Amino acid sequence: MAAISSFSPSLSIPSEKSSFSISPSILSSSPQFLSKFLHFPPTSVSPFPLKISCNASSTVSAQPTPLTAKTELKDFLHISDFDKETILRILDRAIEVKALIKSGDRTFQPFKGKTMAMIFAKPSMRTRVSFETGFTLLGGHAIYLGPDDIQMGKREETRDVARVLCRYNDIIMARVFAHQDILDLAKHATVPVINGLTDYNHPCQIMADALTMIEHIGQLEGTKVVYVGDGNNIVHSWLLLASVIPFHFVCACPKGFEPDEKTVEKARKAGISKIEITNDPKEAVRGADVVYSDVWASMGQKEEAAYRRQVFKGFQVDKSLMDIAGSKAFFMHCLPAERGVEVTDEVVEASNSIVFQQAENRLHAQNSIMLHVLGK
């Protein structure tokens, strides 16, 4: 119950059978007496600016401060929403905070007292553990909301979920199917929203990949990244990064499985990077700094798995393809991998495979993203 700052001439306290009134003189002279009934500390009769009318038939009225819309871009939905300087600054911060965490220092607690709602329409080991662990390591508390907890868009509209969660939490992360869902969350939430994955793109993964390349190659700019497989959300994220930072990106995929044409055109029109879409993986990987692969059938496409295995024959990353790429080429995969399908076990376990370093860097890249959107 809120404290009292103004009163009508008498305060009536009803019981089941009767009521009685307290005179104004008692109210003004004995806050201790009042606290017996209203359970306020004697020294804090009116610490809040909330006015309550105390007539027996009155109702409590308050004037809440309305939540205001975000005044600047503080969501992380697409890499191309940011300029080169900002992306590189986020990556630099990731390196710094990673070193701090690896040293065992736990004094850096920028998220202390903050909570994050994590919406998972799509389940994931890496996304959940990396976000929850990272937010916790930096002092915050993350709340997992699984596919059956919300049923966003079915049991409750996305815009309503956004408006509720932003009143409880300081930040929202969502891993969803439809890209429109993440856009709607960001539109209606007044706290930062981070895209943990949609069917269209996966910006946090590509930020982790970029961080991994900087650590192992020394730079991102000027490198050649060759993706072999389905033109999916990972490819779209690489294309959006290529519209901001200059490097050579090649997608080698079967005919009919090319990435979204508008996204390819956006990357090309930016005039920042060299963009190639090809159906020849052997020619594509020559001179690559990174050969990248992903599952051929993503979540929600498993009924197509058998068909896709037939279509994607010749697009498996094996030792012979890595040999064509050359000795300097690293192998990357966003995981989970279907060993023996899109990539052989030998390639995953080779010394030039950095897939598990990628997985670890999800935590560090995302920590930096969260620091950025929260203004820390």
Side-chain angles (χ1 to χ4, degrees), residues 316-323 331 338-356:
Q316 183 186 71
V317 179
D318 55 17
K319 186 178 183 302
S320 64
L321 192 66
M322 291 302 295
D323 286 343
F331 175 71
E338 290 191 76
R339 299 186 187 214
V341 181
E342 77 274 2
V343 60
T344 62
D345 186 78
E346 182 180 16
V347 169
V348 174
E349 297 296 338
S351 60
N352 61 339
S353 169
I354 50 177
V355 298
F356 298 109

Side-chain angles (χ1 to χ4, degrees), residues 118-124 144-148 150-152 173-178 181 197 299:
M118 303 189 302
I119 301 172
F120 282 84
K122 284 186 175 185
S124 170
Y144 173 77
L145 299 166
D148 296 327
I150 296 181
Q151 295 182 348
M152 191 169 68
M173 185 282 297
R175 179 181 170 92
V176 297
F177 286 90
D181 283 343
L197 173 141
M299 198 177 300

